[in-house]
């Protein structure tokens, strides 16, 4: 009897979970990926990936997890060949953090962020996975429920999608829910009698507004520029990020939390960017040619389902990616958490197989550890914005925030401290890493170098900025 795994959703979490399952030849014979979207055969926007219109960065932890799960897929190489770039977090970005401008190291490039359009990343990962094996097939269908009992899931009910005629039962030994933030898994589990899934929501009311521009002539080498929100300022958090992406384009995403939201009005876009704590993003785009309308996203809240904490969990079912947790996108974590979750599945498959007792529960717990790190970082910041819904800071949060705030200030004048912080923000080290005695001491002693008065630009970049902003 062939053993079948069914994955719901053909995006980051789904394709990587499929790749992990397909590699485990001794326990899985075939993997069927259900996707309700019509998938393009080249990098193009698609309906089921509305966030693809907004700026996305892939952290090095996510990149490495992808390379590990799809060995020989050459995802990084393919992305770079298609026009993606890698930017060292401590050298290749111009960033105004809450505590000041981060210095850019000329000697030390670390923590490379992969920068490309989400559509390119989506397509490249899917194509690399599909060409790496013949044991994965994608079927255009919408999952409408789970088959089985609270003890064991035995497949997926298909139906209810575009053009669907009725329901169909698809039997499987293993099911992965990777259907993203709109997952219906809580409802599906309740139909099996599991209703005790703890959930947390922390919602700063963030709205994202994004627009594409043609990169102005002469500005092709200008690095990504970012003005972050200040969660400690007592005002709505407003941020801006300009990413050079493939095709000679700049993708600019602006964000504002409740009370400080951007709008879809094109005239408001540059005005909003001018109102940030520094006008660098506005100055860069003022004269640039827009290539798209302004698109908004409100899918930005932190929401977590603690599947690992239910009293019962069925064999044969796991959830990964946004179906488990979503985060404020400004921290750039979602795709990497999805990839690290799929790596947790892969690691467990190396030890046992999908039919081993407790397998699903173990994977779910391992995936939750990755979520923990991203969740702590995102919620740890968002809980400070005005009118945030879902959580008020505790005494411990206040202490931690005072400490990390000081550390962020020290990081603006110390490569050692900024590198240590990057380890944590890129999900390569646990947050406990920041409590190491040597770092505690550096944080207490203060910055080694004085604060920068303006953006850390090379003379060439300064000339570009000056010409684009009309000499201001
Ligand atoms: C504005 C914004 C900016 C972001 N920026 C970043 C960033 O810089 N870096 C980063 O790492 N992350 C970022 N993210 C988060 C990132 O987009 C998600 O974390 C990531 O896409 C999660 O992948 P996923 O596979 O879990 O879900 P998704 O990418 O949402 O994919 C779910 C898939 O399931 C399909 N599907 C849904 N329901 C069904 C069904 N019933 N049956 C069949 N198929 C179904 C959908 O069509 C879709 O293809 C951002 C998010 C937003 C909203």
């Amino acid at each position: 009897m062939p053993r079948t795994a069914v994955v719901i959703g053909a995006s980051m979490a789904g394709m990587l979970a499929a790749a992990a399952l397909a590699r485990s030849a001794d326990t899985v014979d075939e993997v069927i990926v259900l996707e309700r979207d019509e998938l393009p055969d080249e990098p193009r926007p698609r309906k089921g990936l509305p966030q693809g219109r907004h700026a996305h960065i892939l952290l090095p932890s996510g990149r490495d997890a992808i390379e590990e799960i799809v060995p020989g897929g050459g995802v990084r190489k393919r992305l770079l060949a298609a026009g993606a770039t890698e930017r060292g977090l401590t050298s290749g970005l111009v960033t105004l953090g809450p505590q000041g401008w981060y210095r850019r190291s000329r000697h030390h490039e670390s923590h490379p962020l992969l920068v490309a359009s989400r559509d390119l990343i989506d397509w490249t990962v899917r194509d690399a996975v599909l060409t790496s094996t013949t044991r994965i097939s994608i079927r255009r269908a919408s999952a409408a429920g789970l088959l089985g009992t609270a003890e064991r899931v035995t497949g997926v009910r298909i139906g209810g999608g575009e053009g669907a005629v009725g329901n169909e039962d698809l039997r499987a030994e293993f099911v992965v829910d990777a259907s993203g933030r709109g997952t219906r898994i809580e409802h599906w589990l309740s139909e099996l009698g599991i209703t005790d899934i703890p959930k947390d929501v922390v919602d700063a009311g963030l709205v994202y507004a994004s627009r594409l521009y043609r990169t102005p002539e002469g500005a092709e080498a200008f690095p990504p520029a970012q003005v972050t929100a200040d969660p400690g300022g007592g005002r709505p958090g407003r941020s801006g990020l300009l990413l050079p992406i493939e095709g000679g384009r700049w993708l600019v995403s602006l964000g504002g939390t409740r009370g400080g939201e951007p709008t879809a009005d094109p005239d408001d876009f540059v005005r909003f960017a001018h109102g940030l704590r520094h006008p660098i993003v506005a100055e860069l785009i003022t004269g640039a040619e827009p290539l798209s309308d302004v698109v908004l996203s409100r899918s930005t809240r932190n929401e977590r389902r603690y599947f690992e904490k239910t009293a019962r969990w069925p064999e044969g079912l796991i959830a990964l990616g946004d179906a488990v947790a979503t985060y404020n996108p400004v921290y750039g974590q979602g795709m990497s958490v999805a990839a690290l979750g799929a790596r947790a599945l892969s690691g467990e498959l190396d030890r046992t197989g999908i039919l081993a007792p407790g397998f699903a529960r173990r994977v779910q717990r391992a995936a939750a550890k990755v979520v923990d790190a991203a969740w702590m970082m995102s919620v740890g910041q968002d809980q400070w914005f005005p009118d945030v819904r879902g959580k008020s800071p505790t005494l411990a949060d206040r202490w931690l925030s005072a400490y990390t705030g000081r550390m962020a200030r020290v990081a603006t004048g110390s490569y050692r401290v900024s590198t240590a912080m990057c380890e944590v923000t890129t999900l390569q080290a646990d947050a406990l890493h920041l409590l190491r005695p040597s770092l505690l001491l550096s944080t207490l002693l203060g910055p080694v170098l004085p604060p920068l008065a303006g953006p850390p630009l090379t003379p060439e970049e300064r000339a570009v900025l000056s010409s684009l902003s009309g000499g201001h």
Side-chain angles (χ1 to χ4, degrees):
M1 262 278 281
R3 281 153 306 179
T4 303
V6 169
V7 177
I8 307 167
S11 185
M12 185 61 89
M15 290 315 297
L16 294 176
L21 287 161
R23 275 178 61 204
S24 166
D26 43 341
T27 69
V28 181
D29 297 294
E30 64 162 342
V31 185
I32 301 170
V33 181
L34 302 176
E35 171 55 58
R36 67 179 175 197
D37 232 6
E38 188 174 350
L39 294 170
D41 50 16
E42 59 182 8
R44 256 195 295 121
R46 61 182 180 92
K47 203 168 146 198
L49 200 66
Q51 68 268 40
R53 316 277 294 271
H54 302 272
H56 272 68
I57 51 161
L58 180 64
L59 303 175
S61 51
R63 180 205 62 185
D64 292 349
I66 295 172
E67 296 287 321
E68 211 178 303
I69 300 165
V70 200
V75 170
R76 171 179 172 268
K77 240 177 156 168
R78 289 179 57 168
L79 283 169
L80 293 175
T85 52
E86 271 183 333
R87 315 277 180 162
L89 192 47
T90 51
S91 54
L93 266 76
V94 177
T95 302
L96 177 63
Q99 309 288 338
W101 292 100
Y102 287 103
R103 287 166 185 277
R104 282 162 71 194
S105 171
R106 265 174 290 152
H107 314 293
H108 180 56
E109 173 150 341
S110 70
H111 305 89
L113 307 179
L114 248 166
V115 176
S117 74
R118 177 60 203 273
D119 294 334
L120 178 61
I121 298 173
D122 181 55
W123 179 81
T124 307
V125 168
R126 192 166 58 251
D127 195 60
V129 169
L130 290 176
T131 43
S132 71
T133 172
T134 53
R135 296 199 302 127
I136 302 176
S137 58
I138 297 188
R139 176 166 168 195
R140 189 164 180 214
S142 188
L146 296 170
L147 306 176
T149 63
E151 280 67 47
R152 175 173 290 279
V153 163
T154 54
V156 176
R157 198 169 60 245
I158 301 177
E162 242 170 69
V165 187
N167 287 338
E168 177 196 332
D169 287 352
L170 184 61
R171 300 275 158 198
E173 278 66 38
F174 197 70
V175 174
V176 180
D177 178 24
S179 62
R181 63 171 59 231
T183 179
R184 303 261 299 137
I185 192 170
E186 282 159 284
H187 175 67
W188 297 342
L189 282 168
S190 75
E191 290 177 333
L192 303 185
I194 297 177
T195 53
D196 64 335
I197 301 160
K199 191 164 156 174
D200 266 340
V201 174
V202 177
D203 183 5
L206 175 75
V207 174
Y208 241 50
S210 299
R211 193 169 204 192
L212 275 170
Y213 290 86
R214 192 183 306 286
T215 306
E217 227 181 289
E220 293 80 6
F222 204 90
Q226 186 181 19
V227 178
T228 66
D230 176 9
R235 283 186 298 275
R238 293 180 150 197
S239 60
L241 170 65
L242 180 151
L243 288 185
I245 60 167
E246 75 280 358
R249 296 170 298 167
W250 278 350
L251 176 51
V252 180
S253 287
L254 306 176
T257 63
R258 194 168 283 113
E261 303 92 335
T263 69
D265 177 355
D267 295 334
D268 191 40
F269 198 77
V270 178
R271 216 173 22 238
F272 185 97
H274 263 294
L276 300 178
R277 291 186 298 125
H278 190 278
I280 183 167
V281 173
E283 288 173 353
L284 287 166
I285 59 175
T286 296
E289 179 196 345
L291 297 175
S292 75
D293 291 335
V294 178
V295 284
L296 297 184
S297 173
R298 291 187 169 80
S299 302
T300 59
R301 64 186 198 165
N302 304 284
E303 180 169 6
R304 179 170 185 184
R305 301 175 181 89
Y306 295 86
F307 296 120
E308 71 284 5
K309 291 190 179 167
T310 54
R312 288 183 301 169
W313 186 257
E315 300 283 3
L317 174 72
I318 60 164
L320 292 176
D322 277 15
V324 179
T326 58
Y327 322 87
N328 177 334
V330 302
Y331 309 112
Q333 308 176 114
M335 292 189 296
S336 296
V337 177
L340 290 163
R343 194 175 68 179
L345 166 63
S346 181
E348 205 49 46
L349 282 166
D350 287 343
R351 277 183 284 279
T352 54
I354 53 167
L355 297 178
F359 176 82
R361 189 75 158 182
R362 283 195 296 280
V363 175
Q364 205 65 64
R365 284 194 179 130
K369 287 206 182 102
V370 184
V371 173
D372 276 343
W375 180 260
M376 251 174 73
M377 191 172 9
S378 188
V379 168
Q381 301 277 308
D382 278 11
Q383 62 184 337
W384 298 98
F385 291 117
D387 300 325
V388 67
R389 294 183 185 151
K391 186 176 189 293
S392 313
T394 61
L395 199 63
D397 291 331
R398 285 177 200 285
W399 181 86
L400 202 65
S401 167
Y403 175 65
T404 50
R406 184 174 170 87
M407 181 175 273
R409 189 163 70 77
V410 176
T412 62
S414 159
Y415 291 120
R416 207 174 76 78
V417 176
S418 67
T419 306
M421 286 189 84
C422 289
E423 284 287 301
V424 176
T425 53
T426 56
L427 305 176
Q428 288 170 295
D430 198 74
L432 288 176
H433 182 70
L434 299 181
L435 298 176
R436 280 198 329 249
S438 61
L439 267 179
L440 275 165
L441 189 64
S442 304
T443 303
L444 287 175
L445 290 175
V448 184
L449 301 163
L452 292 174
L457 300 174
T458 63
E460 296 77 25
E461 291 161 359
R462 204 169 291 287
V464 169
L465 180 63
S466 168
S467 78
L468 293 178
S469 64
H472 296 298

